Amino acid sequence: MAEGPDPVDSMLDLMRRLPPTNVEDNVNALIQICPDYADDLLGSVDQPLKVKTDRATGKDYLACDYNRDGDSYRSPWSNEYDPPIEDGTAPTPKLRKLEIAANEAFDTYRELYYEGGVSSVYLWDLEDGGFAGVVLLKKAMTPTSPDEPSGSWDSIHVFETAERGRQAHYKLTSTVMLELVTKQNNKADETSVLGEPEKKTSEQGWKSAGEITLSGSMTRQTEQDWPVHEQTSHITNTGKMIEEMEMKMRNLLQEVYFGKTRDIVYDLRSVDDLDKARRQRELQKELVGFIKR
């Protein structure tokens, strides 16, 4: 008798077809339906990063599945779990030293490229003798008024490192999650009917004219070999790879995805007068005809 499809594969296939803006609610709903596969699902689905505050240092850090142990999350600044747990997973002293240096380095990277936001780096040992890590970056845009846009950028860079003498082989998997929400509010016009002013649509005198939400995720992978002179060389090497990958993915988002969306919108609804555009095309044809004579 043939076996049915793997439940985890079915849930991942379903997640790819659901709106990306509701990924957290969708994951929680699937976990309630299939609680036995919660760890597999949480480890396979990228969710928007959550910002938490380290109680010991007062610094913000990012929480995800890579620094989670049960229902607690480890801070990269104090190396403590919140809520506190006993025997929580933690890197070895040697790797912890590298983790501290990596957090300081990528905190500078975050300030240079994001001018705000939060960053976190987590490292762990692999069974084959190498180590792996994740670099997390998040920046959210919070509107100060109803008509201002809002959004968030989440970067998740997972890498594996295998040293080969004075060389190291790196595997990098980068995921960018982007969400943009634009709102257009217009003041309600006061018009009079039979000498009486029309009531405004809200107490503030604003009415919603439209809201557009654009969200999604992109994942790319790369492998490279870099020289290793000392332990901190891993930070430099992964930093170069992540910097290059983020630039490529940002340009791809801007040129391909936003550009394609703009082209589709312009094809559906022209900004200019179509009759005017038609006359311009006819004029161009006439000019080309004169030139060819």
Side-chain angles (χ1 to χ4, degrees), residues 16 32 36 41 51 72 164 225 230 243 256 261 263 265:
R16 283 191 287 269
Q32 292 180 358
D36 295 339
L41 186 62
V51 180
S72 299
R164 301 170 181 175
D225 292 315
E230 54 186 1
E243 181 182 27
V256 178
T261 302
D263 292 342
V265 172

Side-chain angles (χ1 to χ4, degrees), residues 145-188:
S145 63
D147 60 327
E148 288 189 359
S150 62
S152 63
W153 173 290
D154 297 76
S155 291
I156 303 175
H157 304 279
V158 183
F159 64 89
E160 293 183 6
T161 304
E163 294 188 10
R164 301 170 181 175
R166 295 186 178 181
Q167 291 274 331
H169 183 72
Y170 300 92
K171 295 180 181 179
L172 176 66
T173 302
S174 299
T175 299
V176 169
M177 290 176 285
L178 180 66
E179 180 178 0
L180 296 174
V181 179
T182 60
K183 298 179 181 179
Q184 183 180 0
N185 296 318
N186 298 319
K187 286 187 177 181

